[in-house]
Amino acid sequence: MSTTASADSAVELEIGGMTCASCAMRIEKKLNKLDGVEASVNYATEKAKVTVPAGYDPAMLIAEVEKTGYTAALPAPKKTETGSAEESDADPELTSLRNRLIVSIVLSVPVIALAMIPALQFTYWQWASLALAAPVIVWAAWPFHKAAWTNLKHGAATMDTLISMGTTAAFLWSLYALFFGTAGTPGMTHAFELTLAPSDGAANIYLEVAAGVTMFILAGRYFEKRSKRQAGAALRALLELGAKEVAVLRNGVETKISIDELQVGDEFVVRPGEKIATDGVVVSGTSAVDASMLTGESVPVEVAEGDAVTGATVNAGGRLVVRATRVGSDTQLAQMAKLVEDAQTGKAEVQRLADKISGVFVPIAILIAVIALGAWWGAGFPISAAFTAAVAVLVIACPCALGLATPTALLVGTGRGAQMGILIKGPEVLESTRKVDTVVLDKTGTVTSGKMALVDVVTEPGVDRAELLRLAGALEDASEHPIAQAIAKGATQEAGALPAVEGFTNLEGKGVQGVVDGRALIVGRESLLAEWSQQLSPEVVAAKAKAEGEGKTVVAVGWDGSARGILVVADTVKPTSREAISQLKALGLTPVLLTGDNEAVARQIAAEVGIDQVIAEVMPKDKVEVVTRLQSEGKVVAMVGDGVNDAPALAQADLGLAMGTGTDVAIEASDITLVRGDLRSAADAIRLSRKTLGTIKTNLFWAFAYNTAAIPIAALGLLNPMLAGAAMAFSSVFVVGNSLRLRGFKSIARTTR
């Protein structure tokens, strides 16, 4: 490029009309021929990322794409109103496909039944078949005809070319046989004969083939399109996390405004339980902020005047006044959305196996049909016989089973997965599972529960454990702080009903105090007890230091002038995580623990579940870098996570698995969602995906082998319509039957460890 990188600018285009990965390659090649332009077209997201010199008119890019036979447009401005957002969710192309599929199913099934079952062939059955099949072949199959014409203009042949030629040829020959041959004679039947005999074809109609192929291929395209459309949902879910309104202080008065109107320097109020509207600095107040949705860190962060806070995090404690420092696209939330978008756009789309086959298969099938036509005619046979042989080649080459191979296996596999709480998004996902050798596991909410829980109680000599729990739990129950609630819940489970509290006081950033059962109680930091001359014994201090060294949170308890013990709170390992790691290792995967927590906590958790490799103390953006680094080392990476901070890494990974107990953003950015939040489902998901991919490959091999074997027979004129129909039906039945075997997939037996 002649221009420098600093003078370049990025343009994004939304591309329409692509039907396969080769379309994306064609558009990319055309755009890259323009002077100073670098383009990358993603078939999955239907977007083009184009780098152009400064001042370059995007209209030139759009015009070039349209010359190639596709549509292009600049992205529409993001709308914040609920109604507009819902409106933008509509997809005319998906709706059109669904309508075409429904009509083709309703009309094609009777046509196929009439052709395949002689007993149903009444006097004018062939004309009824024509009336039913014509709308399917002309209207429902229109996208294939249109794409074939576009490809033809550019000298290319794809699956659409073969589908269009085969269905059109079958339809046209059927019209010839009905109007000019003997197929339109009242009472004509297709006898169920499996003999091979040359014929002029004037009594044969192929309407069931043309209608059936259209119906099956439309079904495959519809389910593919529906899964592809989810690509942009992660960004919508991510931006939905942010607050919609904010209470701004103007001349000391609170005024509710839209988040879009907030400016840098504005001061706004955040009450307990509310989302912080944007990135800023605390001007007044103290509180605990739950940042787990962005950082993955389970322990709430204490903030006071002068501390920085991040937009979309939740104020879990007191009232805060915050001064906005970054708004709109500059916020951490918006930057994270950008990371997800970049990771998705940069992910290479797996080339469809069927498209790979058709790249060679389609031109060869067309060439054989032309050769058959010329050879029969040149040998002195009637033109009708020559044309019959050519049409037979196109009909038998028409990928009926090939069209069923992927969608049926995908439907059965994903259906079985859904029963097991495993949601697989589309066929692209399956390819990744076969090659994955490394699985990166987020700690919080994935290996661990992601929620604080009471894990230990250490008492001073002579203090009753149950009494310590009962009194401290009662006082903490009056507080809204997440750590206090974890203590209260643990105390209730172990000590039963908690007594009432009198004179409860929240000591900001230090702890709480009050009277329980006539005792003056203090619960909080060790320094708070020291202020009241209540000292922990050396043994308890040692236990406290050990717990804190493991990354756990410790709360001290004292009453009536003396320290009475400590309560230890921590994020706990899920009971099934160790077994899950064993299952992942058995699949040949190397587990890696990835967390924002400190090294000591991470090492302890890893040792508990059997993970050897640990990467700790990583910031949200670093998670993407870790995945990218592992990929650059030649590893094929699966990522399992549940938080917003995991979303970019889930999108960047070769295979992203989101825990269904996590955020919508993580779920949308992933390839597979594990609804139950059980890490053992990750192993099941990879096994099921590999099994489904294997089934698809078997189906494709059978479909391809069937076509390869049958085409020479058709070219020799030895394939009558009923034999072709029976063979095609058997091929389809085999593919469907093979796919249905996936219904028997079972989870690995759960063992107790």
Side-chain angles (χ1 to χ4, degrees), residues 495-580:
L498 303 175
V501 178
E502 299 173 22
F504 174 83
T505 305
N506 184 19
L507 306 170
E508 298 288 3
K510 295 181 179 180
V512 292
Q513 67 181 31
V515 178
V516 182
D517 281 356
R519 294 184 173 91
L521 205 70
I522 300 172
V523 180
R525 298 179 185 275
E526 185 183 4
S527 58
L528 176 62
L529 270 67
E531 288 178 15
W532 292 82
S533 301
Q534 298 179 12
Q535 303 295 332
L536 295 170
S537 65
E539 293 81 12
V540 176
V541 169
K544 176 177 177 290
K546 181 175 181 293
E548 288 177 337
E550 294 170 351
K552 297 171 182 174
T553 301
V554 179
V555 176
V557 183
W559 67 76
D560 294 347
S562 300
R564 304 292 176 168
I566 58 172
L567 302 170
V568 182
V569 177
D571 186 10
T572 53
V573 172
K574 291 180 182 177
T576 58
S577 290
R578 184 172 182 82
E579 184 183 347

Side-chain angles (χ1 to χ4, degrees), residues 323-670:
R323 184 189 305 112
T325 55
R326 290 187 293 187
V327 296
S329 60
D330 295 327
T331 63
Q332 186 175 334
L333 181 68
Q335 294 296 326
M336 206 165 278
K338 187 74 170 63
L339 282 173
V340 175
E341 186 173 31
D342 289 346
Q344 283 188 336
T345 308
K347 185 190 287 187
E349 171 69 5
V350 178
Q351 182 78 18
R352 294 284 191 279
L353 290 174
D355 279 343
K356 288 179 180 177
I357 292 169
S358 70
V360 177
F361 183 62
V362 174
I364 290 176
I366 295 170
L367 181 63
I368 292 172
V370 172
I371 291 172
L373 176 68
W376 277 76
W377 196 14
F381 287 90
I383 186 62
S384 61
F387 195 69
T388 300
V391 170
V393 170
L394 288 175
V395 169
I396 206 68
C398 220
C400 187
L402 208 55
L404 280 170
T406 298
T408 54
L410 188 65
L411 285 173
V412 179
T414 53
R416 178 62 187 137
Q419 291 175 333
M420 299 171 65
I422 299 166
L423 305 181
I424 302 169
K425 284 197 174 172
E428 311 90 356
V429 176
L430 307 176
E431 271 288 349
S432 304
T433 62
R434 181 172 57 89
K435 300 174 183 176
V436 164
D437 53 29
T438 304
V439 57
V440 176
L441 304 162
D442 172 58
K443 180 184 78 68
T444 307
T446 303
V447 176
T448 65
S449 65
K451 295 176 182 176
M452 303 300 283
L454 182 66
V455 295
D456 198 11
V457 180
V458 181
T459 63
E460 294 286 354
V463 177
D464 181 62
R465 174 189 169 98
E467 184 181 24
L468 177 73
L469 266 178
R470 196 172 66 87
L471 297 177
L475 188 61
E476 291 284 51
D477 195 32
S479 171
E480 295 178 352
H481 197 288
I483 291 175
Q485 288 300 303
I487 291 171
K489 184 178 179 182
T492 303
Q493 290 171 345
E494 192 169 331
L498 303 175
V501 178
E502 299 173 22
F504 174 83
T505 305
N506 184 19
L507 306 170
E508 298 288 3
K510 295 181 179 180
V512 292
Q513 67 181 31
V515 178
V516 182
D517 281 356
R519 294 184 173 91
L521 205 70
I522 300 172
V523 180
R525 298 179 185 275
E526 185 183 4
S527 58
L528 176 62
L529 270 67
E531 288 178 15
W532 292 82
S533 301
Q534 298 179 12
Q535 303 295 332
L536 295 170
S537 65
E539 293 81 12
V540 176
V541 169
K544 176 177 177 290
K546 181 175 181 293
E548 288 177 337
E550 294 170 351
K552 297 171 182 174
T553 301
V554 179
V555 176
V557 183
W559 67 76
D560 294 347
S562 300
R564 304 292 176 168
I566 58 172
L567 302 170
V568 182
V569 177
D571 186 10
T572 53
V573 172
K574 291 180 182 177
T576 58
S577 290
R578 184 172 182 82
E579 184 183 347
I581 299 303
S582 297
Q583 292 181 6
L584 290 169
K585 285 180 176 179
L587 287 170
L589 305 177
T590 303
V592 178
L593 188 68
L594 182 65
T595 177
D597 279 349
N598 66 56
E599 187 84 17
V601 178
R603 289 286 173 195
Q604 187 208 359
I605 298 291
E608 197 172 330
V609 297
I611 297 176
D612 299 322
Q613 292 188 36
V614 175
I615 303 173
E617 300 176 21
V618 291
M619 297 296 290
K621 61 181 178 65
D622 296 332
K623 292 194 175 185
V624 183
E625 291 170 9
V626 168
V627 172
T628 307
R629 176 168 56 79
L630 289 170
Q631 289 171 327
S632 69
E633 292 170 2
K635 294 181 171 61
V636 182
V637 181
M639 169 80 189
V640 188
D642 75 325
V644 174
N645 66 305
D646 301 320
L650 287 168
Q652 174 63 36
D654 299 284
L655 179 69
L657 299 97
M659 307 300 276
T661 49
T663 63
D664 289 344
V665 183
I667 292 168
E668 293 293 356
S670 67

